[in-house]
Amino acid sequence: HNHVGTYVETPAETARLLDEPDPAMVGWCLDIGHLAYGGGDALAMLPAYGDRVAHVHLKDVDGAVLAAAKAGAWSFGQALTSWIFPALGQGIARVPVVVATLLARGYDGWFVLEQDTTPDDPKAVARANRLYLEGLLPTLPPAAPIAR
């Protein structure tokens, strides 16, 4: 699982994690927000590693906060307390396109709506994120059947 502040944060580190073990033995918990924070793009990594996605953490990234964090060499904690992860659909992680791409590739696992920090009521944000995803799913093209 790629995550800011760990040994698997950047796209190169994530690729190395996925390239080293046997693909049949190790899946990928794709965290699109942490990947974007680490300088990556889920859509750029899915062609090579999309078949490895076993679980998804959906979160968005505030582009302005990310730019300030990078320019100021902030710690991850400082970025969290500056609300780097907004509600879904309010950032730069391209949540709708990533979800659509995963489904088109046959992904049928969990989407965890993960909100690391928020200045707002956490229950209200969790509800808004759930409603966002529930509203998004019916607008996406139907996924192709999965060959088993």
Side-chain angles (χ1 to χ4, degrees):
H1 165 224
N2 55 287
H3 199 287
V4 174
T6 71
Y7 290 109
V8 184
E9 176 178 333
T10 68
E13 293 162 350
T14 302
R16 181 169 181 215
L17 170 74
L18 296 170
D19 288 339
E20 292 290 327
D22 178 350
M25 302 299 292
V26 178
W28 180 22
C29 177
L30 166 62
D31 188 312
I32 71 170
H34 281 272
L35 190 59
Y37 186 122
D41 177 0
L43 294 174
M45 295 197 74
L46 287 176
Y49 303 107
D51 293 341
R52 302 279 296 276
V53 176
H55 194 77
V56 177
H57 288 185
L58 285 181
K59 68 169 66 79
D60 224 328
V61 177
D62 184 311
V65 176
L66 178 60
K70 297 295 182 180
W74 293 358
S75 70
F76 181 46
Q78 192 173 357
L80 286 174
T81 58
S82 297
W83 322 121
I84 186 116
F85 298 119
L88 292 179
Q90 297 179 8
I92 62 168
R94 300 189 288 174
V95 174
V97 183
V98 172
V99 170
T101 301
L102 284 163
L103 294 176
R105 294 181 62 87
Y107 177 74
D108 66 350
W110 288 93
F111 287 102
V112 174
L113 307 180
E114 188 176 48
Q115 187 71 46
D116 288 1
T117 59
T118 179
D120 302 316
D121 174 39
K123 288 181 184 176
V125 174
R127 186 177 310 107
N129 283 341
R130 181 187 51 119
L131 292 172
Y132 175 86
L133 185 60
E134 287 176 353
L136 172 65
L137 291 174
T139 70
L140 301 176
I146 303 168
R148 300 216 187 248

